[in-house]
Amino acid sequence: KKWVYTFGNGAAEGRAGDVAILGGKGANLAEMASLGLPVPPGLTIITDACALYHKNGRDLPEELKLQVMAGLHGMETVTGKTFGGSQSPLLLSVRSGARASMPGMMDTVLNLGLNDRTVEALGHDAGDARFAWDSYRRFIQMYADVVMGLDHELFEEILEDEKGRLGHEYDTDMSAVEWQHVVSLYKKLIEDELGEAFPQDCHVQLWGAIGAVFASWTNHRAVTYRHLHNIPGDWGTAVNVQAMVFGNLGSSSATGVAFTRNPSTGEAELYGEFLVNAQGEDVVAGIRTPQSITEAARLASGSDKPSMEKLMPEAFSEFLAICKRLENHYRDMQDLEFTIERGKLWMLQTRSGKRTTRAAMKIAVDMVEAGTISQEEAVCRIEPSSLDQLLHPTIDPGISRPVIGSGLPASPGAATGEIVFTSEEAVAAEAEGRRVILVRIETSPEDIHGMHAAEGILTTRGGMTSHAAVVARGMGIPCVTGAGSMRVDMRNKVLIGVGCMLKRGDIITIDGSSGRVLKGEVPMTQPELSGDFGKLMVWADNLRRMTVRTNADTPADARAARAFGAEGIGLCRTEHMFFEGDRIHVMREMILAESERGRRAALDELLPMQRSDFTELFQIMHGLPVTIRLLDPPLHEFLPKTDGEIVEVAAAMGMPQTVFRQRLDALHEFNPMLGHRGCRLAISYPEIAEMQARAIFEAAVEAARITGAPVVPEIMVPLVGLRSELDYVTEVIDRVAAAVAQETGMEIEYLTGTMIELPRAALRAHVIAEAAEFFSFGTNDLTQTTFGISRDDAARFINTYQRKGIIERDPFISLDFDGVGELIRIAAERGRQTRPELKLGICGEHGGDPASIHFCEDADLDYVSCSPFRVPIARLAAAQATL
Ligand code: ADP
Ligand code: MG
Ligand code: MG
């Protein structure tokens, strides 16, 4: 079996595509070598060897060892040096390199092959004894740390002591003799601590280092990292053994790192740092302050240390050319590591560079405009969920303010405002034009209007799927939940945070992207929706097949969604409309009415309010489809809960308290989620559905007259399990439609359909489709009813399930493809059998989740609908799903 792939001297056995066997680093070293770039020769031991090493009790097969020796011999030939030789000794670097870049793996061992004998030869060859002893002490320290397991701090202490004793500031001030002395101290330390000598045999050193790389695959840090990033444990790491080149060979040598473009802004400018007379990680370690690579960057930073461009012009211009070449070759921004040995440039690593979302956008657009990549590729290069970073104001990264608490990043974006503790205060403050943060222990449906009025929401209790979190995400309002280190004292109206106590009116800033809570006002960066973002979105829109609609209940949501490119409303939940202002009182009167007559009287009052809501929504959507769901939640959700509220409301309604409480008790349900809700309400109280249908049709007539754009409302009946349920409610709707048409003289085209949110509905889709013109998958409820898990209670155990490996992902966040997804496929297929033109969409929280959107594309749905701020994410994900 071929265990070893060699590279160098203008050729390589591997290619960039061989990442799975060579690891990222090895594959790219091979690619650079075959491009003819200056890469020190080396070899890569393939990733498969890693598993074998562990299976074999930490040993490697003879065949592999022979191949390594042969490869090493090749390196000796190319370099004209000998490994372990007393003349021209070849030194090696041993570098790990997995398929996915993985911090937590073994550190690189440099200068391997030095011992008491070869160090003299190295110094002699280079004509620089100081350099040789500097390299030796580096090697001993690294080897002892990563292979022998001796803490590198112990070595640093010795070095610091010596430098102090000698009065040196920098490592570079040390002389050959002084380094030689440090080496003897290091060797003694190893013997004292480990009871064994530092290995002098170069082959022992080499196999020790190779073994350490493979062993590090299963160390604690690496295992944890893999777990967090879903990297399979059986991938294994490759090992790269490479000839050393030296950046620590005096003032014409250097080492550095660079990005071919600015990774935070995406600007097409070389961006990086280097350090003269240094090796390896000195640049990142902050031993000395690194210098700029380009003169432009030096000027911008105001540094008086010369740039590489000025100091080493030849190496610089070669490097610049290589950067261009690699970028064009890989067709992406590269992150590079290089070393200059006595003026000669060597490339040590290249890979696609990590970047911010803003930079990713700019680079993708620039590359399309330069003809380097296609629009499809550009669209694929942006991670949809990363758009969240761009769509909200963010805290200026250069700013530091005291953090007074932290919780979960429940809804992204940052917001500043005065603290208020109740929804009423929030609404009142908004009316006066003040900006507030609503601070609560937790929120409930009664807080909706207060949440709307606030700039941000902070709760001290609750998780990522708590009421506050779900509603805030839906509204696109920044939210931090479960800030357990903070305490809300509702009685005294104070918020207690780390080292402070804040009262109503004090200013705080919350960062819903990180979960931090800061004191005072903090400067922010506003989202930028035109420019690169706009261009990419147009490209994405040209590619996608599915339409993207929004879930919007209010004019503000609808407007925001239009600005983000929504192509209609996929879900308008009407219940929110009953909480606003005085409406809740009328709503309560309706619910508590003893007779149909009493109910109708209250409904007559609600009709004009609801009609005006719909008219406004229709106007904003200007002819785009609008799906309106009839009243869904159980009626008791609209009623008061606490004793204080009950007394107050009973009094306001002129109802004796005992009677009031009796009515409340009568409406109580043991399991409201599966109780008297959805179409069951419309069947028990058809007058409610009648009123809503009338409001919709009258509004459609009005909006059509105002805008001239025809409105085609889609009326959605919730929680249908039986075709007969849908028939009953559809009959009510049709009757009202006919009546309104006659009264207004204007015929409104409309669709009636249902949500598929019960397994029975999915299974009987072919029958239900006889009565439905569209299906919208209500995946929140469908997930609840398929799993039999209530979303509001899931937080208590889903985390445990994930930790114990019972379930991989939270099904309320990412669609359960196997179970819930199967029901969607069944319903789509059976529904279309009956009615080929059946419109299919999804309107749960999953409608904004990229992985779920992929599923919807595969299931051939017509549209996805998500909260306004997720619309751009959905547009991008829907485009990627088609490729
Ligand atoms: P990491 O994956 O942590 O970046 P690397 O294997 O890239 O580890 O090595 C880190 C640094 O070690 C490199 O950036 C380079 O400075 C130095 N290095 C690695 N191999 C060599 C080599 N063959 N010659 C000189 N320096 C090297
Ligand atoms: Mg590296
Ligand atoms: Mg539902």
Side-chain angles (χ1 to χ4, degrees), residues 65 69 72 83-84 92 94 109 112-115 139 143 147-148 196-212:
K65 291 184 184 169
M69 285 306 118
L72 188 59
F83 185 56
L92 304 173
V94 176
V109 176
L112 188 140
L114 279 175
N115 58 28
F139 172 49
Y143 192 91
V147 183
M148 304 175 89
E196 61 176 303
F198 179 76
Q200 289 289 320
D201 182 331
C202 300
H203 289 274
V204 170
Q205 294 173 355
L206 177 60
W207 292 108
I210 291 171

Side-chain angles (χ1 to χ4, degrees), residues 87 126 145 327 390 618:
Q87 278 174 352
D145 179 11
E327 240 202 35
L390 292 184
F618 290 147

